[in-house]
Amino acid sequence: SFRGTTFTVSNAASIVSQGVEFEGGFALNPQWTLGGSVAYLDSEFDDYKNAPCTINQTAVQGAGCLQDLSGKTGPNAPEWSAFAYAAYEQAIWKNLVLRFNASAAYKDEYFLDGDLDENTLQNSYIKFNANVAIASGENSWEISLYGRNLTDETTYTFTTDAPLSAGIYGGWIEEPRIIGLQGRYNF
């Protein structure tokens, strides 16, 4: 955990992470395929009495501050996550194929930092992606128009306390809405 000016490395005496995931796909007909997955994760510190404090706790209690995270959810562990997609492929003219793919990905809220600071909580979100392409029948080339994160959800891969600045946080933002044109040629 980052404590403003230094990193503190500590180990929880006990953490249990367990869950279940279901995944499947189904071909409706030769053109349409549907699929998805859903996962449940229960990740909890059983015993973590010597956990590092958040930057705000450290500012109040001093450099030796510790907190008890026993019974709390572990970091980077969304309780629920899910993914669903629909794909379509159809020959449209002589040696051309039309492809379409749309997907949605969901993640429940989760902490992005090991000290479980409320300011590093990533809210739950859904991201939508889509792709439409024209390709050669023998798959030697493809031109596609794609969109990722179409609803422009702001999400982070990591968030932490800013050095020497209680109440200020820094983070790495995942890509915003991206729309692009892409070409591929196999030779």
Side-chain angles (χ1 to χ4, degrees), residues 17 25 46 50 62 79 99 135 182:
S17 293
D46 283 343
N50 64 331
E79 186 175 26
R99 294 185 180 129
Q182 172 177 293

Side-chain angles (χ1 to χ4, degrees), residues 14-35:
S14 176
I15 186 170
V16 174
S17 293
Q18 56 192 1
V20 63
E21 181 175 358
F22 297 98
E23 181 178 341
F26 180 71
L28 291 175
N29 57 43
Q31 293 81 31
W32 282 100
T33 304
L34 304 176

Side-chain angles (χ1 to χ4, degrees), residues 67-153:
Q67 65 173 323
D68 185 357
L69 294 180
S70 302
K72 304 284 186 182
T73 300
N76 300 305
E79 186 175 26
W80 289 98
S81 56
F83 178 77
Y85 72 89
Y88 176 82
E89 184 170 323
Q90 173 70 47
I92 56 172
W93 185 67
K94 293 187 181 181
N95 195 26
L96 291 180
V97 175
L98 172 68
R99 294 185 180 129
F100 172 76
N101 182 313
S103 65
Y106 169 80
K107 278 194 180 179
D108 210 355
E109 67 180 14
Y110 58 98
F111 287 98
L112 293 163
D113 200 3
D115 59 15
L116 305 188
D117 187 326
E118 288 292 326
N119 293 299
T120 67
L121 183 68
Q122 171 63 62
N123 292 323
S124 60
Y125 62 86
I126 300 174
K127 289 188 178 181
F128 296 95
N129 302 316
N131 179 326
V132 62
I134 299 289
S136 67
E138 67 277 357
N139 213 23
S140 62
W141 60 268
E142 179 181 274
I143 297 173
S144 62
L145 175 65
Y146 64 88
R148 293 192 302 261
N149 190 11
L150 290 170
T151 53
D152 202 20
E153 291 290 325

Side-chain angles (χ1 to χ4, degrees), residues 1-9 53-56 58-59 62-64 113 115 160-166 168:
S1 292
F2 190 59
R3 298 184 88 174
T5 57
T6 61
F7 283 95
T8 299
V9 178
C53 288
T54 67
I55 190 69
N56 292 330
T58 302
D113 200 3
D115 59 15
T160 191
D161 313 308
L164 303 171
S165 305
I168 298 176

Side-chain angles (χ1 to χ4, degrees), residues 159-178:
T159 303
T160 191
D161 313 308
L164 303 171
S165 305
I168 298 176
Y169 298 84
W172 288 263
I173 298 174
E174 293 182 325
E175 69 181 17
R177 178 186 303 121
I178 301 288

